[in-house]
Amino acid sequence: MHAFANPAKFLSLARPLTPWLFWLGLTLILAGAACGLFLTPADYLQGDSVRIMYIHVPAAWLGMGGWSSMAIAALVQMVWRHPLAGVAGRAIAVPGALFTAICLATGSIWGRPTWGTWWEWDGRMTSMLVLLFLYFGYIALARASAEQAGGIGDNGGVSRVTAIFALVGAVNLPIINRSVVWWNSLHQGPSITMRGSTIDSAILWPLGLTMMGFSLWFGAIVLMRMRAILAQNKVEARLARRAREA
Amino acid sequence: MNHWPFIIAAYALTALGTLGVSWTSWRAMRSAEARADALRKEH
Amino acid sequence: MKSKHQRLILALAALVAIIAAGLLAASALKDEAAYFYVPNDVKTKGVEPGKAVRLGGMVEKGSLRHEADGVTIRFTVTDGKAQVAVTFKGIAPDLFREGSGVVAEGAFDTQGTFVASNLLAKHDERYMPREMEGMQYDETTHQMKGAPKP
């Protein structure tokens, strides 16, 4: 772990990795989407609208996975004081919020032809909307604390309060996951569980491609944003030193 | 009901969002790294 | 080293406490946050007539009747334990069908019939191609059973 504590070491790995993740991810997304749009059969009940699943499910997974990673980064930041943990947490927030929004939007579009409604306040949809607001809160908090500190500084501008917010917000994750089991909801129960999948393999298989593709692409975006924060930090540090010398 | 307009809307929205964030993230990274490099070379 | 362990224990203890509190609150909400009543809730708890509620369950097979006026439908919603008669005037969603899930918004009349003002189709977590409709899903093996339709 501490091999990456040095930002220079991290950058020597992140620089070549970024384009690989990006293009590999994009290729897998396009392949999965093409297969899901044109090759797989329609669902017996939902018809063609089931094809929205190939983007809705990866978006849900990354929206929730993003916050899990931010919570882990916050823990690492507070306990081990790892200099890159805050940078990572802050870099995840924007793509995490994006995927949560995509999950909500595609779910809404999917709900209209299948359930007969754009939006209902059921447990799953409400808790997912809460996650989106949590992301907005984190982004605003991180920005405000960086501004107050007069620059990005250590931890990528993620103050202790922001890190604690990421940890506390993680409470929402098991609630989202269990919402369709605990409460009578319009959203169906989980299809893919530890015991197997209730989605027939003829419909399921492109989902693996888009899941993998969006995850790699998410990684590429996080690396880009981390590199941007580190470079910006370097600029700020240099300018500050120059001002002191002058 | 024809489902294809809904499917196309969902995919288009996803493409727009993901490409938008890729573009802004890449631009932010490029400009920040270019500034850092320029400052280092000045010294 | 010691302070790092202290911070770790403190952070984990706080995390456990927060999650426990969140789950406690969520489970306390359990009955309140239910999106709809199932027929058995109606039978055991009772819902007063005229109160706007949602009723969810399966449309019982063979219970769907179309009225002579062409827009009113009658059917029975069941959860396996109790049944509720429902009437609805309007256009049902595409996925509304016998043996499938439904969520009806409306209120009970004084005779105990649920008068729905809106119907939402609720599908389950099974997804399969059209050719496989009518086949049985095996809960224990997670496989489809039965021959496909010709």
Side-chain angles (χ1 to χ4, degrees):
Chain A
M1 187 124 134
H2 277 269
F4 299 108
N6 182 352
K9 262 187 188 149
F10 164 79
L11 283 174
S12 68
L13 195 77
R15 280 209 181 94
L17 203 59
T18 312
W20 271 102
L21 288 181
F22 188 89
W23 293 114
L24 197 62
L26 202 64
T27 312
L28 284 175
I29 293 168
L30 291 176
C35 295
L37 284 174
F38 305 115
L39 292 186
T40 54
D43 182 64
Y44 79 107
L45 190 60
Q46 302 181 52
D48 282 318
S49 68
V50 72
R51 302 181 196 285
I52 296 173
M53 172 180 76
Y54 305 118
I55 47 177
H56 177 75
V57 173
W61 142 250
L62 287 169
M64 292 173 68
W67 196 282
S68 315
S69 318
M70 273 160 53
I72 292 168
L75 193 70
V76 172
Q77 176 183 340
M78 289 199 298
V79 175
W80 288 276
R81 308 259 157 94
H82 194 294
L84 281 172
V87 178
R90 200 168 171 201
I92 293 165
V94 168
L98 169 80
F99 276 114
T100 307
I102 287 175
C103 174
L104 286 165
T106 54
S108 170
I109 293 170
W110 195 359
R112 184 66 194 85
T114 47
W115 301 337
T117 179
W118 295 105
W119 182 267
E120 288 294 322
W121 293 101
D122 91 332
R124 174 55 68 83
M125 288 164 238
T126 310
S127 54
M128 204 62 189
L129 188 65
V130 168
L131 181 64
L132 183 64
F133 291 150
L134 287 175
Y135 271 116
F136 291 160
Y138 180 93
I139 293 166
L141 210 54
R143 180 173 295 176
S145 55
E147 250 166 42
Q148 204 177 22
I152 292 171
D154 293 337
N155 297 320
V158 176
S159 62
R160 182 179 292 237
V161 181
T162 317
I164 290 171
F165 183 76
L167 275 179
V168 174
V171 175
N172 193 28
L173 296 173
I175 295 178
I176 296 173
N177 183 263
R178 297 281 89 193
S179 57
V180 290
V181 180
W182 286 343
W183 303 309
N184 295 331
S185 61
L186 184 60
H187 195 287
Q188 71 280 6
S191 292
I192 301 166
T193 60
M194 300 290 267
R195 295 186 305 137
S197 159
T198 54
I199 302 174
D200 186 74
S201 54
I203 291 179
L204 185 65
W205 65 268
L207 186 60
L209 293 176
T210 54
M211 287 280 263
M212 197 63 187
F214 277 113
S215 304
L216 293 179
W217 181 87
F218 190 91
I221 297 296
V222 170
L223 287 184
M224 283 190 213
R225 299 187 79 88
M226 285 179 78
R227 284 169 62 181
I229 294 169
L230 289 172
Q232 217 177 322
N233 197 16
K234 222 179 276 177
V235 170
E236 277 172 11
R238 250 177 230 281
L239 287 178
R241 199 168 53 205
R242 198 175 287 180
R244 255 183 281 122
E245 282 164 3
Chain B
M1 201 189 304
N2 182 11
H3 289 170
W4 283 98
F6 293 94
I7 300 166
I8 292 164
Y11 276 78
L13 204 75
T14 306
L16 218 69
T18 52
L19 291 178
V21 169
S22 314
W23 176 242
T24 52
S25 302
W26 186 75
R27 266 216 350 220
M29 180 194 83
R30 281 300 294 266
S31 69
E33 288 190 341
R35 272 186 69 197
D37 279 350
L39 272 176
R40 198 183 49 206
K41 279 184 194 125
E42 269 175 44
H43 255 285
Chain C
M1 269 301 145
K2 194 162 174 275
S3 67
K4 185 194 285 177
H5 283 292
Q6 237 167 20
R7 287 201 302 270
L8 179 63
I9 289 162
L10 215 67
L12 286 180
L15 198 65
V16 167
I18 291 162
I19 287 177
L23 296 187
L24 209 68
S27 76
L29 262 173
K30 201 162 176 160
D31 292 329
E32 302 305 317
Y35 176 69
F36 55 77
Y37 288 95
V38 295
N40 197 42
D41 295 337
V42 176
K43 198 170 112 185
T44 52
K45 290 179 204 154
V47 179
E48 51 193 283
K51 190 185 168 201
V53 290
R54 292 194 193 89
L55 176 76
M58 290 298 210
V59 182
E60 196 160 36
K61 280 206 167 126
S63 73
L64 185 62
R65 300 270 181 282
H66 292 268
E67 293 286 295
D69 64 0
V71 287
T72 308
I73 52 173
R74 290 175 182 280
F75 55 92
T76 310
V77 170
T78 177
D79 60 351
K81 292 180 195 137
Q83 281 91 15
V84 170
V86 180
T87 110
F88 172 67
K89 196 172 179 176
I91 299 158
D94 287 358
L95 263 65
F96 175 80
R97 52 170 83 178
E98 287 184 349
S100 192
V102 69
V103 175
E105 297 175 329
F108 283 94
D109 67 8
T110 46
Q111 275 92 52
T113 304
F114 191 79
V115 183
S117 54
N118 190 26
L119 288 186
L120 301 173
K122 175 173 160 61
H123 63 81
D124 62 11
E125 59 275 16
R126 283 175 299 159
Y127 296 63
M128 54 188 165
R130 280 213 173 88
E131 306 81 72
M132 294 175 75
E133 190 182 359
M135 292 168 72
Q136 278 296 309
Y137 174 75
D138 190 315
E139 290 286 345
T140 50
T141 62
H142 300 283
Q143 298 295 320
M144 305 303 296
K145 276 186 177 169
K149 281 183 189 170

